[in-house]
Amino acid sequence: MQENRDNVITLESYEEYIKKKITPTDLFYIEDEELLFEIFTLGLKSRGILSKEDFNSTYKKKKKNEKITVKEENKENIIWDINILYNSTNDFFYIINYHIHFCKENRISTILFIRYLNKSKSEISSYIDINNNKVIEKIKNKKYIYASKKDLSYYNWKNNYISTNSNENYEIIINKKIGLIFKHKNSEKYFMLNSSKDLKIKLCDNIYKDNINTYFGENEEIIKLCDDIKKTEIKDSNYLQCLLYTLPL
C-alpha cells in the first residue's frame, strides 16, 4: 500500500492514476474501458487501488508538503549581504526581516518610523525599535506593525497625545532647542532623524524625565550628533509613510 501511495505523488489527476492501473489483461476480460474505469474508481483493495477519496487525500498531503518544502527552501536561500541592506525593492516583511538579521548580529541598529490612519481615522505616527521580541514575532508571522504607546515615540495627531519611552537599546532625550534625540546605549552615539550633519547639542539643553536641572558649569559638554544615519523608504499601502533609519555599528 505504501508503494501505491508513493506512486500517487507523481500523478496530477485521479483519471491518470486509474488509467495507469488498467492492464491489457483487464481489457481482455472486460472490453468496455469506461466500465473498467467506473469499477476501478470504487477502489479495489485486492489490487491496491485507491478510491478517489483516498487519492485526493494523499494528493492534498503531497501539495501541502510541496508548499512547505518550497517555503523552507526560499527561507534557506536568502543571501545575507549587508551591502544590499538599503535595497527597498522587496516587500515590507522581507526588508524588515533583513534589517532584524543584522541587528541581531550587532552590525546595525534600526528604527522604524510609521505613519497611518487608525480605525478611528486618527493619524498616528511612531518610532519603533525593530530589535525587540514583539516586532520580531510579528514579522515572523507576516503581521503588520502598528503603533503602541510603549514605543520609543508615539504621537496621535488628532488629540496631540505624545509619549516617549527609553528601552534596552535606546535612551530617548528631549532637547529644548532641537526636539527628540536618540542615544544608542551600546555605542553611546547621539542622533536625531533628519538632522543637519553639523548640528551640535549642549547637554544643559536636554530635558530629562525626572525634571532635575543638571548644572554642567562653564565647561559644559557639547556633543556632535552622529551623521551616519541611513534612511530607507518602504512603499506599502498599509501606511501613509514607512521609513527605516539605520545606525551602522
Side-chain angles (χ1 to χ4, degrees):
M1 181 63 72
Q2 181 61 41
E3 182 180 354
N4 288 327
R5 291 185 182 275
D6 291 340
N7 290 335
V8 168
I9 65 174
T10 65
L11 304 174
E12 292 298 322
S13 70
Y14 186 62
E15 289 73 14
E16 183 184 355
Y17 169 73
I18 291 297
K19 286 179 180 179
K20 286 186 176 293
K21 291 296 182 180
I22 296 175
T23 67
T25 303
D26 296 324
L27 290 170
F28 177 80
Y29 287 104
I30 303 177
E31 296 180 353
D32 190 334
E33 188 173 352
E34 290 186 5
L35 178 59
L36 263 176
F37 188 86
E38 290 180 7
I39 294 172
F40 275 47
T41 56
L42 297 175
L44 299 176
K45 291 184 179 180
S46 60
R47 293 273 296 271
I49 298 173
L50 300 174
S51 66
K52 190 170 185 178
E53 183 180 353
D54 288 338
F55 176 90
N56 288 336
S57 175
T58 305
Y59 187 72
K60 285 179 181 178
K61 287 180 181 178
K62 168 212 171 185
K63 287 297 184 183
K64 184 178 180 181
N65 290 336
E66 283 179 348
K67 288 181 180 179
I68 293 173
T69 301
V70 170
K71 186 176 180 181
E72 290 176 347
E73 287 178 352
N74 289 339
K75 184 177 180 180
E76 292 174 357
N77 289 336
I78 295 177
I79 299 173
W80 301 109
D81 184 357
I82 199 167
N83 294 315
I84 59 174
L85 181 66
Y86 307 109
N87 183 345
S88 60
T89 58
N90 289 297
D91 66 21
F92 174 83
F93 298 104
Y94 185 95
I95 295 172
I96 300 294
N97 187 53
Y98 216 86
H99 278 254
I100 287 173
H101 173 83
F102 290 107
C103 284
K104 288 181 177 180
E105 291 190 346
N106 293 318
R107 299 179 67 182
I108 61 168
S109 186
T110 296
I111 292 174
L112 168 67
F113 171 77
I114 53 174
R115 186 167 62 88
Y116 64 95
L117 296 177
N118 65 11
K119 293 180 180 179
S120 302
K121 302 301 180 182
S122 299
E123 186 173 325
I124 306 294
S125 61
S126 186
Y127 289 103
I128 302 167
D129 178 11
I130 68 168
N131 192 17
N132 70 74
N133 292 333
K134 183 178 179 180
V135 171
I136 292 170
E137 190 64 24
K138 279 183 173 290
I139 296 301
K140 180 180 177 181
N141 294 314
K142 301 289 185 181
K143 293 183 178 180
Y144 280 96
I145 301 167
Y146 294 102
S148 164
K149 293 176 182 178
K150 295 181 180 180
D151 293 336
L152 296 176
S153 176
Y154 170 96
Y155 186 65
N156 184 317
W157 291 81
K158 185 175 183 178
N159 58 22
N160 294 321
Y161 177 87
I162 186 171
S163 66
T164 59
N165 302 280
S166 298
N167 68 2
E168 64 273 15
N169 297 319
Y170 290 98
E171 179 183 348
I172 303 301
I173 299 168
I174 307 297
N175 185 280
K176 61 186 179 183
K177 289 189 176 180
I178 62 174
L180 193 65
I181 297 173
F182 298 86
K183 178 187 177 183
H184 185 255
K185 292 182 178 179
N186 287 343
S187 65
E188 296 190 345
K189 291 181 178 180
Y190 294 81
F191 62 92
M192 65 177 295
L193 307 179
N194 300 316
S195 66
S196 169
K197 289 186 177 181
D198 298 324
L199 194 58
K200 298 179 181 180
I201 62 170
K202 295 180 180 180
L203 289 183
C204 64
D205 289 331
N206 293 341
I207 302 171
Y208 294 89
K209 282 192 173 183
D210 54 16
N211 292 321
I212 297 175
N213 293 320
T214 305
Y215 177 70
F216 293 91
E218 294 181 358
N219 297 321
E220 60 183 333
E221 187 176 358
I222 296 177
I223 296 176
K224 183 178 180 181
L225 297 178
C226 175
D227 60 4
D228 197 22
I229 305 300
K230 307 293 184 182
K231 183 170 73 173
T232 306
E233 183 175 7
I234 303 175
K235 298 291 186 180
D236 193 289
S237 59
N238 286 276
Y239 304 108
L240 298 174
Q241 192 175 18
C242 182
L243 300 168
L244 290 175
Y245 293 94
T246 302
L247 173 69
L249 300 177

